[in-house]
Amino acid sequence: MKKRAIFLIASIISSITLSANTFTDHETGLVWQDDIEARTVTKDWQGAIDYCKNLKLDGYSDWRLPNIDELLSITDDTRYNPAIKK
């Protein structure tokens, strides 16, 4: 089974497969949320955990928050606003 993670983002990275509401990073195998809610919903830590637990998106229902290493896998230290790999 693929690892899945959620993170609020507004950009898309290069080595990906897109679907309507998600993208897959082929370097890590992670599936990331990329829909209007990813760009607009804000939560505190517990709210984010609950949001992931209840999220059903693109046929997946086992969403979770990414760990720090997973989150860093999509960042680019040479960029800002957003600091997402392109």
Side-chain angles (χ1 to χ4, degrees), residues 14 16 22 28 43 57 60-61 67 77-78:
S14 59
I16 61 169
T22 61
T28 64
K43 303 279 182 187
L57 185 66
Y60 299 120
S61 60
N67 66 41
D77 292 339
T78 66

PDB file of all heavy atoms in Angstrom, residues 14 16 22 28 43 57 60-61 67 77-78:
ATOM      1  N   SER A  14       7.531  18.606  -9.866  1.00  0.00           N
ATOM      2  CA  SER A  14       7.734  18.116 -11.227  1.00  0.00           C
ATOM      3  C   SER A  14       7.537  16.618 -11.424  1.00  0.00           C
ATOM      4  O   SER A  14       6.943  16.212 -12.402  1.00  0.00           O
ATOM      5  CB  SER A  14       9.122  18.510 -11.712  1.00  0.00           C
ATOM      6  OG  SER A  14      10.099  17.958 -10.852  1.00  0.00           O
ATOM      7  N   ILE A  16       5.547  14.102 -10.756  1.00  0.00           N
ATOM      8  CA  ILE A  16       4.267  13.770 -10.140  1.00  0.00           C
ATOM      9  C   ILE A  16       3.278  13.192 -11.140  1.00  0.00           C
ATOM     10  O   ILE A  16       3.451  13.317 -12.343  1.00  0.00           O
ATOM     11  CB  ILE A  16       3.628  15.022  -9.505  1.00  0.00           C
ATOM     12  CG1 ILE A  16       3.369  16.066 -10.574  1.00  0.00           C
ATOM     13  CG2 ILE A  16       4.485  15.583  -8.401  1.00  0.00           C
ATOM     14  CD1 ILE A  16       2.526  17.215 -10.119  1.00  0.00           C
ATOM     15  N   THR A  22      -5.482  15.330  -6.021  1.00  0.00           N
ATOM     16  CA  THR A  22      -4.247  14.883  -5.382  1.00  0.00           C
ATOM     17  C   THR A  22      -3.111  14.877  -6.387  1.00  0.00           C
ATOM     18  O   THR A  22      -3.343  14.976  -7.588  1.00  0.00           O
ATOM     19  CB  THR A  22      -4.387  13.444  -4.834  1.00  0.00           C
ATOM     20  OG1 THR A  22      -4.665  12.561  -5.912  1.00  0.00           O
ATOM     21  CG2 THR A  22      -5.463  13.346  -3.771  1.00  0.00           C
ATOM     22  N   THR A  28       9.029   9.757  -3.655  1.00  0.00           N
ATOM     23  CA  THR A  28       8.737   9.212  -2.326  1.00  0.00           C
ATOM     24  C   THR A  28       7.573   8.233  -2.329  1.00  0.00           C
ATOM     25  O   THR A  28       7.412   7.475  -1.376  1.00  0.00           O
ATOM     26  CB  THR A  28       8.394  10.340  -1.339  1.00  0.00           C
ATOM     27  OG1 THR A  28       7.186  10.977  -1.776  1.00  0.00           O
ATOM     28  CG2 THR A  28       9.522  11.335  -1.211  1.00  0.00           C
ATOM     29  N   LYS A  43      -6.023  24.594  10.283  1.00  0.00           N
ATOM     30  CA  LYS A  43      -6.389  23.866  11.504  1.00  0.00           C
ATOM     31  C   LYS A  43      -5.257  23.961  12.509  1.00  0.00           C
ATOM     32  O   LYS A  43      -4.096  24.115  12.136  1.00  0.00           O
ATOM     33  CB  LYS A  43      -6.606  22.375  11.203  1.00  0.00           C
ATOM     34  CG  LYS A  43      -7.641  22.063  10.142  1.00  0.00           C
ATOM     35  CD  LYS A  43      -9.002  22.114  10.716  1.00  0.00           C
ATOM     36  CE  LYS A  43     -10.040  21.757   9.667  1.00  0.00           C
ATOM     37  NZ  LYS A  43     -11.379  21.953  10.145  1.00  0.00           N
ATOM     38  N   LEU A  57     -10.798  11.301  -0.111  1.00  0.00           N
ATOM     39  CA  LEU A  57     -10.423  12.092  -1.267  1.00  0.00           C
ATOM     40  C   LEU A  57      -9.821  11.192  -2.332  1.00  0.00           C
ATOM     41  O   LEU A  57      -8.917  10.398  -2.033  1.00  0.00           O
ATOM     42  CB  LEU A  57      -9.402  13.161  -0.835  1.00  0.00           C
ATOM     43  CG  LEU A  57      -8.948  14.172  -1.867  1.00  0.00           C
ATOM     44  CD1 LEU A  57     -10.105  15.078  -2.283  1.00  0.00           C
ATOM     45  CD2 LEU A  57      -7.812  15.005  -1.304  1.00  0.00           C
ATOM     46  N   TYR A  60      -9.232   7.556  -1.548  1.00  0.00           N
ATOM     47  CA  TYR A  60      -8.412   7.226  -0.381  1.00  0.00           C
ATOM     48  C   TYR A  60      -9.147   7.645   0.891  1.00  0.00           C
ATOM     49  O   TYR A  60      -9.781   8.701   0.931  1.00  0.00           O
ATOM     50  CB  TYR A  60      -7.066   7.972  -0.421  1.00  0.00           C
ATOM     51  CG  TYR A  60      -6.207   7.646  -1.609  1.00  0.00           C
ATOM     52  CD1 TYR A  60      -5.829   8.646  -2.498  1.00  0.00           C
ATOM     53  CD2 TYR A  60      -5.754   6.350  -1.847  1.00  0.00           C
ATOM     54  CE1 TYR A  60      -5.011   8.364  -3.587  1.00  0.00           C
ATOM     55  CE2 TYR A  60      -4.945   6.059  -2.938  1.00  0.00           C
ATOM     56  CZ  TYR A  60      -4.575   7.070  -3.795  1.00  0.00           C
ATOM     57  OH  TYR A  60      -3.771   6.788  -4.863  1.00  0.00           O
ATOM     58  N   SER A  61      -9.029   6.843   1.919  1.00  0.00           N
ATOM     59  CA  SER A  61      -9.621   7.213   3.206  1.00  0.00           C
ATOM     60  C   SER A  61      -8.634   7.019   4.357  1.00  0.00           C
ATOM     61  O   SER A  61      -9.022   7.107   5.514  1.00  0.00           O
ATOM     62  CB  SER A  61     -10.885   6.383   3.464  1.00  0.00           C
ATOM     63  OG  SER A  61     -10.562   5.006   3.498  1.00  0.00           O
ATOM     64  N   ASN A  67       5.232  13.298   8.310  1.00  0.00           N
ATOM     65  CA  ASN A  67       6.274  13.575   9.301  1.00  0.00           C
ATOM     66  C   ASN A  67       7.218  14.624   8.704  1.00  0.00           C
ATOM     67  O   ASN A  67       7.106  14.994   7.546  1.00  0.00           O
ATOM     68  CB  ASN A  67       6.992  12.298   9.743  1.00  0.00           C
ATOM     69  CG  ASN A  67       7.783  11.645   8.636  1.00  0.00           C
ATOM     70  OD1 ASN A  67       8.455  12.297   7.833  1.00  0.00           O
ATOM     71  ND2 ASN A  67       7.711  10.314   8.573  1.00  0.00           N
ATOM     72  N   ASP A  77      14.818  24.622  -0.615  1.00  0.00           N
ATOM     73  CA  ASP A  77      15.378  25.688   0.216  1.00  0.00           C
ATOM     74  C   ASP A  77      15.788  26.932  -0.569  1.00  0.00           C
ATOM     75  O   ASP A  77      16.050  27.970   0.025  1.00  0.00           O
ATOM     76  CB  ASP A  77      16.585  25.172   0.997  1.00  0.00           C
ATOM     77  CG  ASP A  77      16.200  24.148   2.041  1.00  0.00           C
ATOM     78  OD1 ASP A  77      15.027  24.114   2.445  1.00  0.00           O
ATOM     79  OD2 ASP A  77      17.080  23.369   2.458  1.00  0.00           O
ATOM     80  N   THR A  78      15.837  26.844  -1.884  1.00  0.00           N
ATOM     81  CA  THR A  78      16.202  28.002  -2.692  1.00  0.00           C
ATOM     82  C   THR A  78      14.984  28.823  -3.113  1.00  0.00           C
ATOM     83  O   THR A  78      15.133  29.844  -3.763  1.00  0.00           O
ATOM     84  CB  THR A  78      16.975  27.584  -3.958  1.00  0.00           C
ATOM     85  OG1 THR A  78      16.110  26.823  -4.812  1.00  0.00           O
ATOM     86  CG2 THR A  78      18.203  26.766  -3.597  1.00  0.00           C
TER      87      THR A  78
END
